[in-house]
Amino acid sequence: MGKEKVHINIVVIGHVDSGKSTSTGHLIYKCGGIDKRTIEGFERRAAEIGRGSFKYAWILDKLKAERERGITIDISLWKFETAKYCVTIIDAPGHRDFIKNMVTGTSQADCAVLVVAAGTGEFEAGISENGQTREHALLAYTLGVKQMIVAVNKMDMTEPPYSEQRFDEIKTKVSAFIKKIGYNPATVAFVPISGLHGDNMVEPSEKMPWYKGWAIERKEGNASGKTLLEALDAIVPPSRPTEKPLRLPLQDVYKIGGIGTVPVGRVETGILKPNMVVNFAPSSLQAEVRSIEMHHEALEEALPGDNVGFNIRGVAVKDLKRGFVASDIKNDPAQETASFVAQIIVLNHPGQIRAGYAPVLDCHTAHIACRFAELLEKVDRRTGETIEDAPKFLKSGEAAMVKMVPSRPMCVEKFSEYPPLGR
Amino acid sequence: MLEHLIYVNTWFPKYEVDLAEQTHYAVFSQKGNVATSCGQHVKQEKVEAAKTTQQASLSEQIRDVRKIITNTAAPVAISPTTMDMNPDERLVKIEKTHQNILQMLDDLKRRVEQLETNKQIISAKPAEPKKPAADDDDVDLFGSDDEEESEETKKRLAAYAAKKSTKVQIIAKSSILLDIKPWDDETDLTAMEKSVRSIETDGLIWGQAKFVPVAFGVKKLQINCVVEDDKVGTDFLEEKICEFEDYVQSVDIVSFNKI
């Protein structure tokens, strides 16, 4: 994978039958996410059994069967390249633990692709109360995925096929829906596609002459295009916070014979360099970085996003733990947090939540129980305006500012200063 | 001193007096049924009372029946105490009791039948109102909405029907790629992989694995698994894998994808 292209993460969300897997598979297939030999093999066999026009469906089925057996790791890490980016795409599963992983997971999605099916009745079912669409879209927004693309799929299944009227109807409804969640529809590209036939996926389709392309307005610059791929290319890349002070939450600590203690973690902000003296919050241990390695190569500096191991001296393995945060002692070092104010959203919780409630908090790599010391105010989920001061309790769907006290020493940072360490 | 009294037959109708007294009290305080368990009159009264309580609830009826049963049982227990009575009178009394018991049995039979019909009515009831409710819903959906809305609903229903027919065989599965980290460069990754693969549960399939270099010669195990969404959770996996604490330092989820 070349280093020249910026890496972005995309999460594909949508109702079970929206055809998001087909669309995702199609993109990967067309954009070189699957190695050439596999594809050639499939193409040949598809031709042999005379599937012709249905070969995509057939190939995607084959791929699905392959994934189901879990044989190839490369297929489970879905990557493909656009003109500008190297894209990792996540096809959001309906698994209940996925949401937790989306919250705590290491890779934050830069953009969400919402797939809705245009087929008769399917759109209505997908967007209904009990569909996953709502939950995922709300969660994506809550987690700070501020960019969105809406793919109106299965345009071949509308009545009549490729109906402009149907597309407009869905566009209007989805706009209202995502606006309710918090997205600005003007910044969202709406692309009519067919994941199965490939319309407007990579190449503009001729079947929808009425479609003049998508256009979005935003402060980072307006963009327009026709295909879904172009829409992906218009994503604003994540800013690499190299100019900020160093923050590196530890994932693991190894003891290596002949080398010594090696903590491993991902650089979230700032730059880690050899000879830097780092502090490990919430302890007051300090050590000098002797050398840095990523995979098996020595690095002169580690930048945000790099998963690195670094060799330190004078600190024993047992004194360092997962959840500690390494920072430069000379540049705003991270500190232990006695208490902090967190904005919370109760997604789904039975009954009421009052002060004293102590859930386990996942923050960067730390995993520590924190007590709700005080419910400060109930706020509007979207606008952030205060609804009620010092509420007695909270229910599902409500958002609030809460003062929290960790049960063990912990390092938390302000979201405004270090976003990766603040959620 | 009072021995001679045994032979005085003026005391023979004592039980009648007792009975009269008890009946009096029983009538006086409607609830005195348990205390006056030996009284025939009381029994009859109770039966009559029970007969009139057809409107009472099931539980009350059952309680009444129980009372009647205890009442019928009581005279049988009491009759031996009147053993030393005149045989004729005893016969008359037993006959009476017998008649009474027969009557009681009849009554009980009737009761049980009644209870059964009641039960049928009750069990039938929930089924009955459901239908009208469903009808109401449909009427609401189609009736109160605009033409456009009803059209949508129809569509939706059609979609649901179509879905249901295809849905049955689809089991939602996810592919999870895990990073399993050892303690140091000397941890035996092959043994670690073996241990991890030994975790078996319904709905879990282990896929391909490889060793990925971390830094300074340390490698981690990257292993793929396929889980059925409803059967296997990530907490379960992490917990089970971390149980091999001789090998495993920590587990991270690298990717989580729908299949």
Side-chain angles (χ1 to χ4, degrees), chain B residues 2-254:
Chain B
L2 293 168
E3 271 170 14
H4 69 281
L5 286 179
I6 296 167
Y7 307 101
V8 177
N9 64 358
T10 49
W11 280 100
F12 278 162
K14 178 186 180 282
Y15 76 96
E16 279 176 1
V17 177
D18 283 350
L19 211 87
E21 196 185 23
Q22 276 164 351
T23 315
H24 169 76
Y25 278 117
V27 174
F28 202 72
S29 62
Q30 295 274 325
K31 280 183 176 180
N33 52 349
V34 181
T36 63
S37 51
C38 62
Q40 297 172 9
H41 298 281
V42 183
K43 268 185 281 168
Q44 268 165 344
E45 264 173 29
K46 272 291 144 193
V47 172
E48 267 162 24
K51 271 181 199 165
T52 56
T53 56
Q54 279 176 354
Q55 304 272 348
S57 71
L58 252 184
S59 62
E60 269 176 329
Q61 286 179 2
I62 289 165
R63 212 171 48 213
D64 285 344
V65 173
R66 278 219 186 100
K67 277 176 202 163
I68 293 162
I69 291 164
T70 51
N71 285 352
T72 50
V76 181
I78 269 154
S79 51
T81 64
T82 54
M83 270 296 205
D84 49 359
M85 277 192 295
N86 189 325
D88 278 53
E89 257 173 288
R90 254 177 66 196
L91 212 101
V92 170
K93 193 178 150 62
I94 284 167
E95 256 172 358
K96 256 190 189 172
T97 319
H98 180 71
Q99 231 178 354
N100 226 303
I101 285 169
L102 280 180
Q103 202 189 333
M104 199 79 60
L105 266 173
D106 262 7
D107 201 62
L108 277 171
K109 248 189 219 165
R110 209 170 41 80
R111 282 261 148 169
V112 170
E113 269 163 38
Q114 203 183 3
L115 283 175
E116 239 155 17
T117 50
N118 275 9
K119 210 173 112 188
Q120 266 169 3
I121 289 164
I122 284 165
S123 61
K125 256 182 191 171
E128 270 175 53
K130 248 185 201 171
K131 276 177 196 167
D135 285 344
D136 280 355
D137 274 358
D138 282 357
V139 169
D140 271 350
L141 286 172
F142 289 111
S144 65
D145 292 344
D146 302 342
E147 285 161 54
E148 207 187 321
E149 288 285 357
S150 72
E151 214 173 284
E152 254 181 29
T153 332
K154 267 184 206 162
K155 274 187 219 162
R156 236 182 249 181
L157 287 174
Y160 275 131
K163 237 200 249 170
K164 264 179 193 166
S165 59
T166 57
K167 249 302 173 42
V168 189
Q169 64 267 44
I170 298 171
I171 303 166
K173 287 182 186 170
S174 300
S175 155
I176 304 175
L177 189 59
L178 297 166
D179 261 356
I180 303 172
K181 272 76 63 76
W183 289 105
D184 49 39
D185 58 334
E186 284 166 17
T187 307
D188 184 351
L189 288 183
T190 320
M192 180 159 98
E193 188 186 336
K194 229 178 244 171
S195 322
V196 171
R197 284 185 189 278
S198 73
I199 300 170
E200 280 180 14
T201 184
D202 188 25
L204 170 69
I205 302 166
W206 291 107
Q208 199 189 38
K210 59 180 177 185
F211 303 143
V212 181
V214 180
F216 300 101
V218 177
K219 288 183 179 176
K220 64 187 174 190
L221 171 67
Q222 202 164 67
I223 190 162
N224 197 9
C225 68
V226 177
V227 300
E228 281 180 34
D229 284 5
D230 294 333
K231 288 182 180 166
V232 185
T234 54
D235 287 341
F236 167 83
L237 286 176
E238 279 179 40
E239 210 173 277
K240 282 283 171 193
I241 292 169
C242 287
E243 271 175 23
F244 302 107
E245 48 186 30
D246 288 347
Y247 302 120
V248 180
Q249 175 168 195
S250 75
V251 181
D252 278 319
I253 294 168
V254 184

Side-chain angles (χ1 to χ4, degrees), chain A residues 344-347 378-379 381 388 393-400:
Chain A
I344 62 151
I345 295 183
V346 185
L347 291 169
K378 197 186 282 183
V379 295
R381 205 161 35 74
E388 188 186 340
F393 60 86
L394 301 170
K395 293 196 303 282
S396 288
E398 293 182 334

Side-chain angles (χ1 to χ4, degrees), chain A residues 115-291:
Chain A
V115 180
V116 294
T120 309
E122 289 189 80
F123 167 71
E124 285 76 9
I127 207 113
S128 66
E129 285 292 340
N130 48 6
Q132 282 166 14
T133 315
R134 271 167 201 271
E135 197 179 4
H136 281 168
L138 172 60
L139 202 71
Y141 185 79
T142 308
L143 292 175
V145 183
K146 301 293 180 208
Q147 299 183 69
M148 182 179 265
I149 295 169
V150 176
V152 182
N153 195 18
K154 302 194 188 179
M155 286 304 291
D156 53 311
M157 304 233 314
T158 60
E159 278 174 25
Y162 305 102
S163 155
E164 177 178 10
Q165 200 193 339
R166 181 66 172 161
F167 175 70
D168 287 341
E169 181 195 349
I170 290 173
K171 187 175 171 179
T172 313
K173 285 190 178 163
V174 175
S175 294
F177 164 69
I178 58 175
K179 196 174 179 182
K180 227 193 246 171
I181 291 171
Y183 290 96
N184 176 6
T187 65
V188 176
F190 282 81
V191 192
I193 60 164
S194 165
L196 197 59
H197 299 282
D199 298 295
N200 285 335
M201 297 285 288
V202 180
E203 291 125 23
S205 167
E206 287 157 10
K207 292 168 191 154
M208 287 172 269
W210 46 265
Y211 175 60
K212 300 285 176 269
W214 51 266
I216 50 176
E217 298 165 17
R218 62 189 171 199
K219 61 177 187 289
E220 290 89 353
N222 299 350
S224 64
K226 275 205 128 179
T227 64
L228 183 60
L229 196 67
E230 285 169 340
L232 293 177
D233 243 353
I235 292 171
V236 179
S239 62
R240 286 288 165 95
T242 46
E243 70 291 346
K244 284 191 171 157
L246 172 71
R247 289 294 183 269
L248 190 159
L250 304 188
Q251 286 169 13
D252 300 285
V253 186
Y254 301 97
K255 184 180 184 235
I256 298 170
I259 295 173
T261 304
V262 176
V264 169
R266 195 169 101 128
V267 180
E268 295 294 353
T269 59
I271 302 172
L272 179 74
K273 287 180 180 168
N275 302 322
M276 193 183 250
V277 178
V278 292
N279 171 68
F280 293 96
S283 75
S284 52
L285 295 167
Q286 293 183 352
E288 190 187 327
V289 177
R290 298 180 69 213
S291 57

